[in-house]
Amino acid sequence: MFKKNDWTLLIEEDRNYKIVAKVGSGLLQTIRGYIDTDTLIGVPYGTVVTSTLGAKFRAIPATIFDIIEHRFRIKAQAIYPKDAIYIVKATAIGPGSRVVEAGTGSGFLTAVLAWYVRPWGIVYSFEKRFDHIRVAIKNIKSVGLDLYVDLQLRDVVKSGFGSMKVDAVILDMGDPWNVIEKAVEVLKSGGTLAVFSTTIEHMSKTVEMLKTYNFYNISIEEVLLRRWKSVVGELRPETFDVVHTGWIITARKA
Ligand SMILES: C[S@@+](CC[C@H](N)C(=O)[O-])C[C@H]1O[C@@H](n2cnc3c(N)ncnc32)[C@H](O)[C@@H]1O
């Protein structure tokens, strides 16, 4: 049953048109007319609501990825959901985890991490570009995850991360090998460092540096996702898809 302030994904099945809304936030404008989100308070998941133009939308609870994909403005290249969720798995992030992340970009990965560290954890996220962090702050706030995120404008290669101790450090930035030494300072012993690498050269420099700083259990993984058409009579892979994103390197601090 929906409560006020829950996030809902509204799906117009005939057209595969989807929109994310906050339950109880009044009238929502869509390209298919207005939907009164107040009527969703107290109704079961899967209820069908009708817009002012007569379009029928099924309301289901939104996932964190639905929320981000529909509500965020993306400025820097954002991580893909398949990689973001694998990083959560590989770093064993959960409620109460303390995490350092660089760079923030538009905050896509930040929001996913924040979602999973709730309600007691924290994500310290660092970004060197003002135009990027400005977008990230707005994005994170717009979905109500700012309580779990400490966003800081800082070049971590020059200034490091600070003096906190964290369970995991996650790097999605141009030259992560230049901050491995600084990551060692904030990571707890046995904690996990995860680096998202998009090229082989990038990966090679990172692994070399991890070995220099005695990280162990180094692993390199690539998440391959193949989308299929879900149309009866046409069940086959999609013709076009994303063929490369990057590798996820993980290692434990000695
Ligand atoms: C690929 S984007 C990160 C995207 C982000 N993970 C997301 O999912 O939205 C890389 C970001 O790292 C930032 N960056 C690069 N070098 C940095 C540094 N030395 N310190 C802080 N941020 C840095 C860039 O400005 C850029 O915004």
Side-chain angles (χ1 to χ4, degrees), residues 156-157 160-161 169 171 175-187 193 209-210 212-213 215 253:
V156 292
V157 172
F161 302 104
V169 173
L171 304 173
D175 56 346
W177 52 89
N178 286 328
V179 283
I180 303 287
E181 182 184 4
K182 295 185 167 80
V184 169
E185 291 166 12
V186 288
L187 197 51
L193 177 75
M209 201 56 94
L210 289 172
T212 306
Y213 283 92
F215 276 84
K253 183 187 153 179

Side-chain angles (χ1 to χ4, degrees), residues 224-242:
L224 300 174
L225 179 77
R226 199 171 178 204
R227 285 167 224 270
W228 283 56
K229 279 177 91 105
S230 57
V231 178
V232 175
E234 269 186 77
L235 294 173
R236 60 170 180 78
E238 292 285 358
T239 310
F240 301 104
D241 215 335
V242 174

